[in-house]
Amino acid sequence: MTWEEKFEGSMTAHLDDVPFNLHALNRDTAFMVEWTGGDIFGEHVNYTEVKKIGPEGVKTLQVPPHEKYGVPGFMPWGPLDVHPLDESDIWMCGVDRDYSGGDPESVVGLFYRSGDGGATWELNGIPGTCLLSVCPVDDDTAWVAGFRRQSSPTVRYTGVILKTVDGGHTWEVQKEVEGLAFVDVCAVDGEVAWAAGVLSKDILFDPYLAEERGGIFKTTNGGETWEEQIALEGGYIADVCAVDTACAWAVGKGTSGSPLVLRTEDGGDPRPDLLSLDPGAAPVGHVLTLRGKDFGDQKGTSRVMFGSVQAEECLSWTGEEIRVRVPQDMEGMVKVTVETPAGTSNPLSFRCMGEFRVDSVSPTRALQHTVALSLELEGNGFLPGCWVRLERGGRVIEAFSCTVESETKVGAALTLFGAEPGAYDVVVVNPGGQEARLPSAFTVEAVCGNGSATALLMLGLAMGLIAVSSPRLRAGRKRGNAV
């Protein structure tokens, strides 16, 4: 196990340059924030730069200065955190100046976003708030964490978490905590996020702070509520990193003064944690599998909710997996949650396709002994992997291939050799065994007056077709020839 030095010789331009924040996009590319220094208007000041590290080397991004400072590329402080969604879509946050001196109430929190890899930027300001951490989860949704600082009559911090759902054009305050500064936020998706709060002169670079405290906060409902999971007196939480809705890591300083590393695998509290839905879209009546943590070993009074509709049929329930049928009278996007005596899980989005049904088949009839027949079925709720068959009493004609073109259309190929004449039900079977049936929708017509010779000819053609179309038979024939 080794660590490889990347571009060390070309990384910095000044002896006082200090890289301090990094976000890796993939194995080849990362973005970092670096403290540096320079002369502005004859005065030496500290400021930050943002750099992209990639296969081509190290590139300094041209970040727009705050409007108070008219020197391109130079400004006191600036971006403090960078988080790219991809190489083009880069999100950053920071502050326009040192907040610990002068007039801390007049600082401006800075939010930056570039859609072209850093060539141009959109810059917005949030007055009176220092922004230390940003975490986007998609093109529209992101959180930022920071604080407001008051210096009179005494130094006082208020931690602030804000969220945007319009790509950063507007921000809404979601959580404020007196006596802490939020220094990090890490989101799993648009519903679940953790935040780290701290009050420490070591982390905030504020010599006026004498006490230390910290906490971990979590939301599972998009930020409508935040719950404090850990509260530390005499220690702090400096950083938090979420793996999924149940697992997260945090680091800081313990109450004994020693380094503190924490991890949770149950979401940090007794509430259920919903990790996945399989499938993510299905028709009414289909079996949906929910996987996660802390569901409880038995169902008891617990339940699965599709929005405001309860799943009435539960097939199995364990601490980490639940199987229920999609309830009736639903269609469209809903939020699925698990409710237990310990609380309600985070929601996951599910799309109900509505009723599973077969509406039509084309053609509607074919001659007995037809060697290769192609059917086109229309309806609703067809899932990948579904299968088609014809049924007449106890007689079943299975398709030898099916192609799902969409959730409303499926194609099937079958042979009618030896099929009994008459009306057949058209049946589609989704993975898991759910069936949709169109009764007596297809007719096999009798072949009259052709005798046994025609039947034998049809048999030979059918066997040849199946041998050609079946990979198993072709493989078997090749193995036989090899012997």
Side-chain angles (χ1 to χ4, degrees):
M1 297 174 62
T2 60
W3 286 83
E4 178 185 359
E5 208 168 70
K6 301 291 289 184
F7 312 116
E8 189 273 338
S10 62
M11 185 86 77
T12 58
H14 307 284
L15 292 178
D16 54 356
D17 288 352
V18 180
F20 73 94
N21 206 324
L22 178 77
H23 188 95
L25 183 61
N26 51 48
R27 66 183 305 273
D28 296 317
T29 305
F31 292 78
M32 75 171 186
V33 182
E34 180 180 79
W35 279 110
T36 187
D39 291 329
I40 298 181
F41 306 130
E43 179 182 357
H44 184 81
V45 297
N46 290 323
Y47 58 93
T48 61
E49 288 185 335
V50 179
K51 297 185 176 182
K52 176 184 177 182
I53 309 168
E56 70 281 1
V58 179
K59 175 185 177 182
T60 300
L61 302 184
Q62 295 301 309
V63 179
H66 188 269
E67 60 185 0
K68 180 177 179 181
Y69 308 101
V71 183
F74 286 86
M75 61 180 175
W77 289 40
L80 298 177
D81 190 26
V82 57
H83 193 134
L85 281 175
D86 53 46
E87 291 202 39
S88 297
D89 193 358
I90 306 169
W91 300 56
M92 301 191 304
C93 71
V95 64
D96 69 331
R97 74 194 81 165
D98 183 357
Y99 55 79
S100 62
D103 182 13
E105 288 82 2
S106 67
V107 301
V108 177
L110 304 176
F111 166 74
Y112 314 74
R113 187 177 182 186
S114 175
D116 53 16
T120 60
W121 295 87
E122 176 186 347
L123 173 61
N124 293 325
I126 303 178
T129 305
C130 301
L131 303 180
L132 302 184
S133 176
V134 60
C135 187
V137 295
D138 56 41
D139 187 60
D140 296 317
T141 309
W143 275 279
V144 292
F147 62 89
R148 293 191 291 267
R149 181 182 183 273
Q150 294 178 320
S151 58
S152 178
T154 59
V155 173
R156 186 174 65 183
Y157 281 79
T158 301
V160 182
I161 299 174
L162 303 96
K163 184 181 181 182
T164 181
V165 293
D166 61 6
H169 299 293
T170 60
W171 294 86
E172 179 183 352
V173 175
Q174 289 197 322
K175 181 70 174 178
E176 295 183 345
V177 177
E178 294 289 339
L180 284 178
F182 284 114
V183 292
D184 190 36
V185 61
C186 188
V188 178
D189 52 32
E191 303 290 345
V192 179
W194 274 276
V198 63
L199 191 69
S200 169
K201 64 180 179 181
D202 296 337
I203 300 298
L204 299 175
F205 308 108
D206 192 335
Y208 298 99
L209 293 177
E211 56 185 333
E212 287 186 331
R213 69 171 64 97
I216 297 177
F217 298 78
K218 184 185 182 184
T219 180
T220 60
N221 55 14
E224 292 182 18
T225 58
W226 289 80
E227 295 189 10
E228 187 173 21
Q229 296 187 326
I230 288 181
L232 289 176
E233 294 291 339
Y236 56 79
I237 304 296
D239 204 356
V240 63
C241 183
V243 178
D244 54 40
T245 58
C247 181
W249 293 71
V251 295
K253 186 171 81 171
T255 55
S256 64
S258 59
L260 179 67
V261 179
L262 301 172
R263 184 181 71 173
T264 179
E265 292 185 329
D266 62 3
D269 54 44
R271 293 178 298 178
D273 301 292
L274 192 51
L275 295 175
S276 67
L277 303 176
D278 184 21
V284 166
H286 190 79
V287 176
L288 180 68
T289 301
L290 296 79
R291 296 184 176 91
K293 300 283 188 178
D294 296 332
F295 295 155
D297 294 334
Q298 296 181 346
K299 180 179 182 297
T301 60
S302 301
R303 59 183 186 172
V304 174
M305 300 297 295
F306 290 73
S308 60
V309 178
Q310 180 178 341
E312 297 294 343
E313 187 175 354
C314 178
L315 305 180
S316 64
W317 190 294
T318 69
E320 296 186 352
E321 184 177 286
I322 302 170
R323 295 172 68 243
V324 297
R325 290 197 185 277
V326 179
Q328 299 289 326
D329 302 323
M330 290 182 54
E331 191 164 0
M333 296 298 299
V334 294
K335 297 291 188 180
V336 176
T337 56
V338 178
E339 296 181 1
T340 72
T344 301
S345 75
N346 57 292
L348 289 182
S349 295
F350 173 79
R351 184 169 64 86
C352 181
M353 298 176 178
E355 179 188 2
F356 181 34
R357 65 183 188 273
V358 181
D359 293 332
S360 66
V361 60
S362 179
T364 59
R365 58 185 59 242
L367 286 174
Q368 183 185 25
H369 305 313
T370 298
V371 175
L373 174 66
S374 295
L375 297 180
E376 289 289 335
L377 286 70
E378 294 188 353
N380 187 63
F382 303 146
L383 296 179
C386 72
W387 209 251
V388 175
R389 63 175 180 246
L390 304 180
E391 292 186 3
R392 174 181 168 82
R395 298 180 179 274
V396 177
I397 303 173
E398 295 278 0
F400 57 79
S401 71
C402 293
T403 302
V404 180
E405 300 179 26
S406 69
E407 63 191 54
T408 62
K409 183 179 292 187
V410 62
L414 44 83
T415 180
L416 298 183
F417 181 81
E420 179 181 284
Y424 284 74
D425 295 350
V426 179
V427 182
V428 179
V429 184
N430 269 337
Q434 185 187 19
E435 295 184 0
R437 182 181 300 265
L438 190 60
S440 302
F442 184 83
T443 301
V444 176
E445 297 181 333
V447 177
C448 300
N450 289 316
S452 60
T454 300
L456 289 173
L457 175 61
M458 293 297 183
L459 174 60
L461 291 173
M463 294 303 293
L465 175 66
I466 294 172
V468 169
S469 63
S470 171
R472 290 185 180 180
L473 291 178
R474 290 200 306 271
R477 185 169 58 183
K478 289 178 182 178
R479 286 195 295 270
N481 290 339
V483 174

